[in-house]
Amino acid sequence: MTKVGRWIGQHLILFLGLLVLLYLFAPIFVVILMSFNAPKSKLSYTFDGFTWQNWQHPCRPFGLCDAVGTSLQIGLASTVIATALGTLMAFAMVRQRFRGRSATNLFIFLPMASPEIVLGSSLLALFVSSGFGGRLGFWTILIAHVMFCLSFVVVTVKARLSGMDSRLEQAAMDLYANEWQTFWRITFPLVFPGIMAAALLSFSLSFDDFIITNLNAGTTVTFPMFVWGSAQRDLPPQINVVGTAMFLLALFLVLGGELARRRRSARAR
Amino acid sequence: MSALGQLPGPVTGAPPAGEPARKGRSLTGYLLLAPGALWLLLFFVVPIVSLLAASLYDPNGSIESGFSMTWSFHNYVDALADYARPFARSLWYSLLTTAFCLLLGYPLAYAIAFKAGRWKNFMLALVIAPFFTSFLIRTLSWKLLLSDNGFVVDFLKTVHILGSDGRLLATTAAVVTGLTYNFLPFMILPLYASLEKIDARLIEAGGDLFAGPFTTFRTVTLPLSMPGVVAGTLLTFIPAAGDYINAQLLGTPKQRMIGNDIQRLFAAGAYPTAAALSVTLMAAIVVLVLFYVRRAGTEELV
């Protein structure tokens, strides 16, 4: 016991860190468990029995899969637009000298530092006052999502760009590559992981957003709005199936990337 | 996270000799910026102006009859008179949330940066992974975890932290637990980014100079990680102040935050009052943040 005690003493920080990690994962375990729940009543807030049914028929609750589909469409579209615009901005911020750079920096940071309820309500105020109040839906959601993803993309790509060794590009130039070749052969491949991370981040931000979307969605229902609506009524266990699937997909992507990186570095050695 | 991007990397510094000359660079810069900046101008700046305008509309208007601009500054007085309590509650809850996030986030960020060894990236991935399950679903799970016959309540009763008639769900504790949970990654990531940059030899040097672990932490590690602390507290405090999901799902109307009221008023079509509350929230946050950043003294934050 004292041996264990000493070991814990030495690794106290790591131990505390793992406890916090457990806190981060506690609800995930519940989501996974509840995805196999066979609820006795309509309100599925307790685990009543094990079943595979929810995984076999994820689309059974009316409107669930439509909502997921809408969220996927909006997520993909806003990711493509935000990543493209944000990457260009990040290149301008890191690689170009121009007047008003620090003001631009602040300007890009501001949406990230505004509470979602303010962003959502201000967009609603704009749409209503410009006569779009009756036409809220796919397009207004898309506009809002691109807006709040943009800042995150710029910050992520910028971090990657400014951490890059510019001597590699100079070397390419010294070897008589022109600017275009240098960009596509050297710069872009080096920045690409940052762009991918930014795209992944904006997709998850868009797919998950509720507060801003709810104010600007009109009658369009995204996945988080479906969850919110059913939380007031019956909460079908299939919601947890979608949640678990998303978690597994993320784990697969993130851990897969990490494994690939390890294998590469092992081979390089 | 945000502090990370600002560091003058080798590329942003003054171009060393031999740096390839770029022709017409300033124009290229503006061209690259233009599309994104235009989007932000149209859908971030203009909306804020619209919100300001809406907060001064005639409060007697409705969606059907339209709103007329009457410069009713009185909207602010009325809104604040009616909603002072949820307002104060929001700021108090997000202050508590920020404190708990710092308390929980620091050990984990420290462990990842200095103790995880080859598991560093793996642990970082584990911090981000729960993010991908919809946060609404995770918040609903807390409803289960904190429920009256759940094992958390049972455990707290067994160790007599909670009285035998005690409960967690529908209390302030539940709302702050949920808020802390939801915004913890926003604290951990910037903390990790600034801890990771600290040269471990500085911490060793602290030990060599006969400082105990606590003194080393207080005089070396903590001051060097301040940019991360500032960025993390801002990224936690600001969104938490506007959140209404946790208060709605884990609390009762007694715990409602200003976001709940803003959302409800907008849904009911009471735009002028809702807009006035929204503007006031933004203004309160800006004032608090400016005050805090000045005190913390990290100017190159963004």
Side-chain angles (χ1 to χ4, degrees):
Chain A
M1 195 58 214
T2 49
K3 225 177 170 182
V4 175
R6 199 177 310 140
W7 189 87
I8 290 179
Q10 276 166 1
H11 296 79
L12 186 64
I13 300 271
L14 192 59
F15 179 73
L16 285 176
L18 289 176
L19 276 183
V20 177
L21 211 51
L22 194 69
Y23 173 66
L24 280 174
F25 270 82
I28 303 293
F29 297 137
V30 175
V31 174
I32 295 173
L33 178 73
M34 295 306 278
S35 76
F36 295 105
N37 189 20
K40 279 195 194 118
S41 64
K42 279 211 103 184
L43 267 174
S44 55
Y45 279 113
T46 51
F47 192 77
D48 294 332
F50 182 89
T51 178
W52 290 103
Q53 282 286 314
N54 311 322
W55 281 86
Q56 284 162 350
H57 308 283
C59 285
R60 189 171 282 168
F62 179 74
L64 172 60
C65 285
D66 288 343
V68 172
T70 308
S71 276
L72 284 175
Q73 282 175 26
I74 293 174
L76 287 174
S78 55
T79 298
V80 169
I81 302 174
T83 309
L85 300 185
T87 303
L88 293 181
M89 288 178 101
F91 267 95
M93 296 304 294
V94 177
R95 290 305 173 84
Q96 305 290 330
R97 313 251 71 99
F98 54 89
R99 275 146 59 94
R101 240 172 58 96
S102 53
T104 316
N105 217 6
L106 185 70
F107 175 57
I108 293 170
F109 178 71
L110 275 177
M112 229 161 76
S114 309
E116 284 190 76
I117 188 90
V118 175
L119 292 179
S121 57
S122 62
L123 268 166
L124 179 63
L126 171 70
F127 291 142
V128 168
S129 66
S130 55
F132 276 90
R135 278 173 281 173
L136 296 175
F138 186 89
W139 294 104
T140 50
I141 301 176
L142 183 64
I143 284 171
H145 284 200
V146 172
M147 183 271 295
F148 68 73
C149 289
L150 204 50
S151 308
F152 286 93
V153 171
V154 178
V155 168
T156 312
V157 177
K158 229 172 72 175
R160 177 85 193 179
L161 255 177
S162 55
M164 233 174 81
D165 192 342
S166 66
R167 283 173 302 182
L168 290 169
E169 289 161 306
Q170 288 167 32
M173 297 289 232
D174 288 347
L175 295 167
Y176 298 105
N178 62 32
E179 275 195 45
W180 195 244
Q181 286 168 325
T182 309
F183 179 80
W184 284 112
R185 299 262 181 91
I186 309 291
T187 317
F188 190 74
L190 282 171
V191 186
F192 190 68
I195 298 177
M196 277 311 286
L200 204 63
L201 182 66
S202 46
F203 181 79
S204 75
L205 285 171
S206 163
F207 196 86
D208 208 18
D209 181 75
F210 174 72
I211 295 181
I212 299 173
T213 312
N214 193 31
L215 282 162
N216 294 290
T219 52
T220 306
V221 178
T222 63
F223 177 62
M225 290 173 68
F226 181 88
V227 176
W228 179 260
S230 53
Q232 330 284 343
R233 300 190 311 272
D234 50 349
L235 202 70
Q238 279 86 349
I239 280 177
N240 294 301
V241 172
V242 179
T244 308
M246 278 159 61
F247 172 71
L248 291 177
L249 191 70
L251 208 61
F252 177 77
L253 280 176
V254 170
L255 292 186
E258 170 63 12
L259 277 178
R261 200 190 58 81
R262 280 199 180 186
R263 194 164 306 154
R264 262 202 313 276
S265 65
R267 207 180 296 149
R269 230 180 277 137
Chain B
M1 204 153 69
S2 51
L4 202 72
Q6 178 58 16
L7 278 173
V11 208
T12 50
E19 168 98 339
R22 291 195 186 90
K23 280 161 277 174
R25 22 178 138 181
S26 62
L27 188 65
T28 320
Y30 291 125
L31 284 177
L32 290 174
L33 272 179
L38 197 66
W39 198 290
L40 286 182
L41 203 67
L42 278 179
F43 302 118
F44 173 68
V45 179
V46 174
I48 297 282
V49 176
S50 311
L51 185 71
L52 276 168
S55 73
L56 300 172
Y57 284 166
D58 176 13
N60 296 317
S62 69
I63 309 176
E64 291 78 31
S65 61
F67 293 94
S68 50
M69 178 52 112
T70 51
W71 300 97
S72 337
F73 285 96
H74 213 262
N75 288 344
Y76 283 89
V77 182
D78 292 344
L80 279 177
D82 291 346
Y83 297 100
R85 288 184 70 95
F87 224 110
R89 201 181 292 127
S90 298
L91 297 179
W92 170 236
Y93 282 6
S94 47
L95 207 65
L96 280 176
T97 300
T98 310
F100 282 121
C101 281
L102 191 58
L103 227 56
L104 293 177
Y106 210 102
L108 182 52
Y110 189 94
I112 298 176
F114 294 119
K115 305 280 175 186
R118 59 192 296 260
W119 295 99
K120 204 185 239 184
N121 285 312
F122 179 73
M123 275 179 85
L124 212 55
L126 287 185
V127 171
I128 304 167
F131 235 131
F132 286 82
T133 303
S134 166
F135 88 102
L136 275 177
I137 301 182
R138 282 178 289 137
T139 310
L140 283 167
S141 303
W142 276 106
K143 208 165 166 161
L144 249 88
L145 282 165
L146 300 175
S147 65
D148 290 348
N149 40 17
F151 76 96
V152 177
V153 169
D154 279 350
F155 174 76
L156 291 179
K157 279 180 182 167
T158 317
V159 296
H160 294 288
I161 290 178
L162 211 62
S164 55
D165 57 343
R167 55 189 319 229
L168 282 177
L169 200 61
T171 64
T172 302
V175 178
V176 175
T177 303
L179 283 168
T180 306
Y181 174 79
N182 272 320
F183 297 110
L184 192 52
F186 291 99
M187 180 67 88
I188 294 173
L189 294 177
L191 274 179
Y192 166 78
S194 71
L195 281 169
E196 209 249 342
K197 281 202 287 272
I198 298 178
D199 192 336
R201 284 173 299 183
L202 289 173
I203 296 171
E204 274 172 42
D208 290 347
L209 295 167
F210 300 105
F214 183 73
T215 315
T216 308
F217 175 76
R218 197 173 49 83
T219 54
V220 179
T221 317
L222 188 61
L224 286 173
S225 67
M226 270 323 271
V229 174
V230 174
T233 44
L234 289 180
L235 286 177
T236 320
F237 180 83
I238 297 170
D243 182 86
Y244 64 89
I245 309 298
N246 290 280
Q248 178 85 30
L249 294 179
L250 304 173
T252 67
K254 271 192 206 154
Q255 279 85 32
R256 77 176 202 278
M257 295 167 73
I258 197 65
N260 299 72
D261 287 315
I262 297 176
Q263 165 67 36
R264 187 175 51 77
L265 288 166
F266 267 116
Y271 290 144
T273 315
L277 284 175
S278 205
V279 171
T280 313
L281 174 66
M282 188 71 183
I285 286 175
V286 167
V287 169
L288 282 173
V289 165
L290 283 180
F291 181 72
Y292 171 70
V293 171
R294 183 156 294 182
R295 284 299 294 271
T298 353
E299 303 239 319
E300 70 281 25
L301 185 76
V302 278

